[in-house]
């Protein structure tokens, strides 16, 4: 029975919510006013869900935040929010460089789910820099990656102004943002680009596509994920096999890779769970320090949708991993003196 239920929940019809569209068409044919109200209600419910999407730990505090333009590209100002922890007495704070998800074609830094993450991490003592980047509709993966790198360079240059300890940086991303974070760290560690990796101690990737071809496996029914990937990559994997390989982080894992935390829900209907399993196997093969946190019942973006014990536990472990990764460096440096 559970297997049948699981298959139904992963069916093409349910994953892509086509049943809602069918209901809308049926109502509109019967009565156009009825169809309009149904559409309106669906839109309100969707917006309500987006506005109430946040990590399941309430942070009822006011944080200092500033917004900067870190780059201008194609007549667009790309913004970065910098969130500061409440502790003012420390000389400097470790930095979390945070990158939102949205399939490279949507999402933005001040979406409620992203803001809740920034507040949560600031409450734990980190400075958090959260970026916007260009979308894959009109831009290429090269453009998006250059935005990612430029944002990181920008915040490093602000070290004195904002008391950032740039020798203790953690890269973090959700979904597409996790892909960018992993691609940046795997590629630059393999290529031994020391300047690019200077100060970066670890990477945290929530439900990342580690091999872009995984989006197209038969078990994955998400039309959005396929559309977003094809739109950003400018073609499907059959036509652009080498390009898909080139932009897949799993192909750059090396012994030099920094400590990595991968988080994924086992019932993810947007980015296959197997994508993280394969990546972790590769980390293990190269003896990279890593942790793999799995929510056994969760779908995509569960960290800002679920409020259960398992999700809260994963959030706690994420912060512990972050603190351990920057603390590990402190111990190493102290032992040198």
């Amino acid at each position: 029975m559970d297997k049948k239920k699981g298959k139904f929940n992963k069916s093409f019809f349910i994953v892509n919510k086509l049943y809602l569209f069918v209901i809308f068409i049926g109502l509109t044919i019967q009565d156009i006013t009825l169809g309009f109200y149904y559409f309106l209600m669906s839109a309100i419910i969707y917006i309500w869900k987006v506005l109430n999407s946040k990590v399941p730990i309430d942070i009822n505090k006011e944080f200092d935040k500033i917004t900067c333009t870190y780059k201008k590209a194609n007549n667009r100002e790309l913004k970065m929010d910098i969130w500061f922890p409440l502790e003012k007495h420390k000389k400097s704070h470790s930095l979390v460089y945070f990158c939102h998800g949205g399939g490279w074609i949507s999402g933005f830094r001040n979406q409620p789910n992203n803001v809740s993450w920034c507040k949560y991490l600031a409450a734990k003592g980190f400075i958090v820099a959260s970026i916007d980047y260009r979308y894959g509709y009109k831009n290429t993966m090269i453009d998006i990656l250059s935005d990612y790198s430029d944002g990181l360079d920008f915040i490093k240059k602000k070290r004195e102004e904002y008391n950032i300890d740039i020798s203790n940086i953690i890269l973090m991303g959700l979904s597409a943002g996790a892909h960018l974070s992993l691609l940046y760290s795997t590629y630059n560690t393999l290529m031994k680009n020391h300047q690019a990796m200077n100060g970066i101690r670890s990477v945290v990737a929530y439900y990342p596509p580690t091999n872009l071809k995984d989006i197209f496996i038969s078990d994955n029914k998400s039309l959005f994920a396929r559309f977003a990937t094809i739109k950003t990559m400018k073609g499907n994997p059959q036509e652009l096999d080498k390009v898909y390989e080139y932009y897949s982080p799993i192909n750059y894992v090396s012994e030099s890779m920094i400590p990595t935390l991968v988080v994924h829900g086992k019932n993810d209907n947007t980015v296959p769970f197997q994508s993280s399993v394969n990546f972790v196997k590769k980390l293990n093969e190269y003896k990279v320090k890593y942790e793999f946190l799995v929510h056994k019942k969760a779908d995509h973006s569960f960290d800002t949708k679920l409020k259960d014990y398992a999700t809260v536990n994963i959030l706690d472990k994420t912060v512990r991993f972050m603190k351990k990764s920057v603390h590990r460096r402190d111990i190493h440096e102290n032992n040198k003196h």
Side-chain angles (χ1 to χ4, degrees):
M1 190 66 181
D2 284 345
K3 275 189 177 178
K4 283 185 180 176
K5 191 178 173 184
K7 279 187 179 177
F8 179 71
N9 287 335
K10 284 192 167 188
S11 68
F12 184 83
F13 195 64
I14 295 294
V15 168
N16 295 293
K17 296 182 174 51
L18 292 178
Y19 58 94
L20 295 175
F21 182 69
V22 172
I23 294 171
F24 169 70
I25 294 295
L27 288 173
T28 304
I29 291 171
Q30 197 174 29
D31 184 337
I32 194 165
T33 306
L34 209 56
F36 171 76
Y37 281 120
Y38 177 79
F39 174 78
L40 193 63
M41 284 303 296
S42 299
I44 290 171
I45 291 170
Y46 174 76
I47 292 170
W48 185 85
K49 280 185 178 178
V50 169
L51 292 178
N52 285 281
S53 179
K54 59 182 183 179
V55 295
I57 299 173
D58 284 328
I59 309 296
N60 295 317
K61 296 173 183 172
E62 292 297 322
F63 294 88
D64 287 340
K65 184 196 80 170
I66 59 170
T67 301
C68 311
T69 297
Y70 72 87
K71 179 178 179 178
K72 290 183 182 177
N74 301 341
N75 298 319
R76 180 186 168 190
E77 290 189 343
L78 295 172
K79 303 281 187 183
M80 170 189 291
D81 286 339
I82 306 171
W83 296 81
F84 297 93
L86 298 171
E87 302 168 350
K88 303 289 185 188
H89 61 279
K90 286 186 72 172
K91 190 176 178 183
S92 60
H93 294 269
S94 302
L95 172 74
V96 177
Y97 186 63
F98 185 89
C99 193
H100 71 77
W104 310 281
I105 62 169
S106 64
F108 47 95
R109 73 188 191 287
N110 42 17
Q111 232 172 262
N113 63 326
N114 299 319
V115 169
S116 73
W117 258 114
C118 294
K119 286 185 174 180
Y120 175 61
L121 295 172
K124 298 297 180 182
F126 296 100
I127 290 178
V128 186
S130 176
I131 61 163
D132 276 341
Y133 49 89
R134 283 174 285 178
Y135 296 138
Y137 283 114
K138 293 182 179 177
N139 305 286
T140 64
M141 186 58 83
I142 294 174
D143 298 326
I144 296 170
L145 287 167
S146 78
D147 295 343
Y148 186 92
S149 302
D150 291 341
L152 188 54
D153 290 342
F154 175 88
I155 192 66
K156 282 182 175 179
K157 288 175 185 168
K158 296 290 182 181
R159 58 182 295 183
E160 291 185 0
E161 189 175 345
Y162 301 137
N163 290 331
I164 298 170
D165 178 3
I166 60 163
S167 62
N168 275 321
I169 299 173
I170 300 158
L171 306 180
M172 178 176 181
L174 311 178
S175 196
H179 163 263
L180 298 175
S181 303
L182 284 182
L183 188 55
Y184 182 92
S185 52
T186 52
Y187 178 83
N188 284 309
T189 48
L190 175 67
M191 299 300 171
K192 302 192 185 305
N193 292 333
H194 300 301
Q195 189 174 349
M197 290 303 296
N198 189 28
I200 299 172
R201 300 297 158 196
S202 62
V203 58
V204 174
Y206 267 62
Y207 31 87
T210 66
N211 182 340
L212 296 181
K213 294 179 191 173
D214 290 341
I215 298 291
F216 298 87
I217 63 174
S218 58
D219 283 351
N220 191 33
K221 305 291 192 303
S222 173
L223 280 179
F224 170 77
R226 292 179 185 221
F227 171 78
T229 308
I230 289 172
K231 202 71 186 167
T232 304
M233 301 303 291
K234 314 305 177 201
N236 62 51
Q238 290 76 38
E239 299 165 335
L240 303 170
D241 181 71
K242 295 294 178 192
V243 177
Y244 273 70
E245 284 186 11
Y246 185 76
Y247 290 116
S248 293
I250 197 167
N251 295 322
Y252 299 103
V253 175
S254 67
E255 296 89 349
S256 308
M257 181 58 182
I258 53 175
T260 304
L261 172 65
V262 179
V263 182
H264 216 129
K266 234 174 178 178
N267 294 327
D268 196 322
N269 286 315
T270 304
V271 176
F273 175 66
Q274 192 62 34
S275 196
S276 283
V277 172
N278 295 340
F279 189 76
V280 165
K281 283 180 182 172
K282 201 79 179 281
L283 293 175
N284 197 41
E285 184 185 331
Y286 282 91
K287 302 188 187 313
V288 177
K289 288 181 179 171
Y290 74 90
E291 291 183 29
F292 186 27
L293 302 178
V294 177
H295 192 306
K296 292 180 180 175
K297 297 181 179 176
D299 193 358
H300 204 63
S301 303
F302 71 92
D303 49 307
T304 51
K305 290 177 183 170
L306 301 181
K307 301 181 186 301
D308 59 333
Y309 173 78
T311 303
V312 172
N313 192 33
I314 285 173
L315 260 63
D316 282 342
K317 286 182 175 176
T318 298
V319 170
R320 261 183 268 162
F321 172 86
M322 288 176 161
K323 289 192 171 178
K324 194 167 65 178
S325 66
V326 294
H327 183 59
R328 186 181 294 130
R329 179 259 176 191
D330 291 341
I331 293 172
H332 179 69
E333 290 299 311
N334 288 334
N335 288 339
K336 283 165 59 179
H337 296 297

